[in-house]
């Protein structure tokens, strides 16, 4: 694989003045457009979800968006003629509990009681929890740059959560819990795909469907309120289910196929930035000084992580 990547890099005509046709558009411009579009979709979805929760209790909304997202992915599987048959049912069910029930459930719960911008930033501490879990469970050693990013993110986390002042409620802790579940689901997905040959789109569909069922049960058993149908809620639900789930996942897979993983990680960096700015402009959620410094620290740690990955990738290719 490494030799193939080196060969492709060596023959790529970076300085060919004649490279201005459709091939250049496909290999260079379109992946960057997809990256920006993905960050905008995922980043603005925090505002959309916050608005939707004015009309619907959190777990019912989480169940609705994941069921509809699963239906959209099912349609995509049919249109793309991808395999539908479920495989590794036990492992896929565990993935669904982590990635859909835990992650989506906790982030929606956090949004229902807290600010959209802050919740988006705390949720995107996922890469740092993933680094720690991968080190403990997968034997992946952290580099000095990664340890530095983790420590910087932890400082930012403390500034946002402010454990010395807990009058802000449980929302920050719920958002962090969602990030931990998201990281655990990434480890589970990696272990699952290491043991089984699985189609990524089909795996995403089946885990989303499996994880949506417990969310629906919690909504039925624990929530006494019901949703209030309106045009605003319908548009918000359609945005999150179709754009935020189905379209975004397809964009993500295209990005992973078109550019290095480290560069693709820029989507992770841009998303909370879009979330904070859009919630500031549309919802009036202006962070305080200490909270703002914490957000900058976490986004800076994300940037540090991405840049270190890009540097390590270039070094591997140059060998």
């Amino acid at each position: 694989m490494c030799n193939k990547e080196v060969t492709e890099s060596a023959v790529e005509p970076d300085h060919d003045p004649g490279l201005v046709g459709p091939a250049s558009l496909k290999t260079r411009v379109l992946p960057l457009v997809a990256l920006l579009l993905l960050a905008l979709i995922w980043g603005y979805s925090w505002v959309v979800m916050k608005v939707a929760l004015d009309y619907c209790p959190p777990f019912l909304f989480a169940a609705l968006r994941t069921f509809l997202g699963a239906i959209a992915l099912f349609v995509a599987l049919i249109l793309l003629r991808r395999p539908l048959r479920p495989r590794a049912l036990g492992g896929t069910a565990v993935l669904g509990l982590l990635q859909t029930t835990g992650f989506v459930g906790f982030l929606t719960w956090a949004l229902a009681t807290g600010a959209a911008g802050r919740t988006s930033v705390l949720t995107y501490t996922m890469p740092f929890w993933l680094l720690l879990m991968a080190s403990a469970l997968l034997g992946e050693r952290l580099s000095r740059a990664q340890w530095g990013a983790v420590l910087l993110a932890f400082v930012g986390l403390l500034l946002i959560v402010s454990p010395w002042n807990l009058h802000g409620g449980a929302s920050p802790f719920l958002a962090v819990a969602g990030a931990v579940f998201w990281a655990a689901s990434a480890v589970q997905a990696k272990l699952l795909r290491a043991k089984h040959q699985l189609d990524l789109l089909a795996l995403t569909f089946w885990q989303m469907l499996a994880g949506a069922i417990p969310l629906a049960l919690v909504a039925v058993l624990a929530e006494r309120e019901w949703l209030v149908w309106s045009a605003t809620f319908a548009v918000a639900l359609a945005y999150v289910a179709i754009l935020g789930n189905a379209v975004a996942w397809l964009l993500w897979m295209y990005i992973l196929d078109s550019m290095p993983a480290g560069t693709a990680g820029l989507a992770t960096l841009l998303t909370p930035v879009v979330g904070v700015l859009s919630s500031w402009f549309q919802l009036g959620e202006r962070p305080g000084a200490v909270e703002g410094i914490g957000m900058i620290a976490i986004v800076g740690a994300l940037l540090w992580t991405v840049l270190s990955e890009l540097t390590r990738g270039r070094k591997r290719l140059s060998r």
Side-chain angles (χ1 to χ4, degrees), residues 46-290:
W46 294 95
V47 171
V48 176
M49 289 188 290
K50 184 66 176 177
V51 171
L53 289 171
D54 289 336
Y55 301 86
C56 185
F59 286 100
L60 178 58
F61 178 66
L64 286 173
R65 62 167 287 194
T66 49
F67 270 121
L68 292 177
I71 292 173
L73 287 173
F74 178 78
V75 173
L77 284 166
I78 297 297
L79 294 177
L80 296 174
R81 298 181 180 180
R82 303 287 278 273
L84 279 172
R85 182 179 178 182
R87 301 184 60 188
L89 289 177
T92 301
V94 172
L95 180 61
L97 289 174
L98 294 172
Q99 185 165 304
T100 297
T101 306
F103 169 51
V104 178
F106 273 109
L107 78 85
T108 310
W109 193 2
L111 264 179
T113 57
R118 179 180 60 187
T119 302
S120 68
V121 172
L122 291 177
T123 300
Y124 276 86
T125 58
M126 181 276 289
F128 311 112
W129 301 113
L130 179 56
L131 286 174
L132 296 175
M133 290 182 186
S135 176
L137 301 175
L138 302 177
E140 298 181 4
R141 297 183 61 184
L142 272 67
S143 65
R144 291 182 179 178
Q146 288 173 328
W147 273 116
V150 169
L151 291 176
L152 180 59
F154 184 72
V155 171
L157 180 64
L158 287 178
L159 292 176
I160 295 175
V161 174
S162 301
W164 54 85
N165 180 18
L166 297 180
H167 297 295
S171 177
F173 300 97
L174 296 173
V176 173
V180 172
F181 269 94
W182 189 9
S185 73
V187 174
Q188 169 65 9
K190 188 165 185 177
L191 293 173
L192 191 60
R193 298 190 71 199
K195 296 179 180 179
H196 305 278
Q197 293 291 332
L198 300 171
D199 180 83
L200 183 58
L201 187 57
L203 176 64
T204 303
F205 162 68
W206 285 110
Q207 70 80 22
M208 189 175 293
L209 184 61
I213 296 173
L215 289 174
L217 291 175
V218 172
V220 171
L221 297 176
E223 293 181 331
R224 297 180 180 179
E225 299 178 357
W226 191 245
L227 64 89
V228 178
W229 281 104
S230 68
T232 300
F233 176 76
V235 171
L237 182 61
Y239 180 100
V240 175
I242 298 174
L243 285 179
N245 281 343
V247 174
W249 274 110
L250 292 174
L251 283 173
W252 178 244
M253 287 189 294
Y254 171 71
I255 291 167
L256 288 177
D257 287 338
S258 304
M259 60 176 56
T263 306
L266 287 171
T268 302
L269 168 65
L270 292 174
T271 298
V273 174
V274 175
V276 170
L277 293 178
S278 58
S279 62
W280 188 343
F281 291 133
Q282 184 168 341
L283 303 178
E285 296 178 357
R286 183 173 182 175
V290 174

Side-chain angles (χ1 to χ4, degrees), residues 3-19 23-29 31-32 258-260 317:
N3 291 336
K4 180 180 179 182
E5 293 175 354
V6 173
T7 302
E8 290 175 349
S9 177
V11 299
E12 185 180 4
D14 289 334
H15 307 289
D16 187 352
L19 189 61
S24 175
L25 181 66
K26 182 178 180 180
T27 59
R28 297 177 181 276
V29 179
L32 293 176
S258 304
M259 60 176 56
L317 288 176

